Amino acid sequence: MAKQSSKSPTTNTQSSKENPRLITIDSIELQGFEQIKSIILNSENDWFVISNQANRPTQEIQKYIKESNIQDSAAFIFGRSKSHGGLLNEICLGVKKEDFHGHFIAINKNCFQQILTQQFEPTSLFDWYYVAEKSCSKEYLLESGKDDKHQTTFTQVAQLKFKTSTRYYFNLGKSNLQRLAFMLIAIIALTTMMFSSKSAAISGDEFTQYEYSKLIANYYLEPIGLGIPIDTNVLKFQRMPTLTKAYKTYGHKLATIEDPDRLMHA
């Protein structure tokens, strides 16, 4: 993870006076959020590259923006090394270990305005990447050719992701009540669902529908020789045990002239 720097802000601006089509980029050192905020709000540039590296690839990003024809009102580019596997991390945690060792993040002004609405102050490069994703800005990924193999375990990735997400969702000091309310409702709903599902069951229709689903699948599978064997007697007599049990309760009212479809819901 990138550490917060206490150094004074450094900028490296690509000017557009000679070429009005040239995208202007400000290079900003990773530091306190308020310092970065002040630089961006007082700048007239289009994009801002935030990184803790001495050499920030402003020209490379400028070329990437032009070649990718990025015209989204709110967008960001995250630079990292090429990923090496990490499928388990991506499936379970939604991130790759390379995300925690990013090289830079480039955001445009509209993306920064979206980030401000999240009421979250990033302190690391991954924090910036995390909140930029949450801001619903268009994401672009710029992977370098460097073979950076980071020895970050699944447990470490989970801890880092949990630390950032906890700060994001439970940030009580920033008028974050709607996000906190969502998390509490989700936790209560999940807990209630687990306890209430103890008495859950399936209806008699489920067994019949399962067999019918095989018929639907065979519509597509039989032409290519992969049909599923089906016992048609099961479809004909599968409901008999259900009807026999229901007769003890409903008797002759199991099906009436007024409601002949009651059999379907026995």
Side-chain angles (χ1 to χ4, degrees), residues 121-133:
E121 296 186 1
T123 59
S124 67
L125 206 57
F126 176 75
D127 285 355
W128 278 98
Y129 174 54
Y130 183 88
V131 73
E133 277 192 319

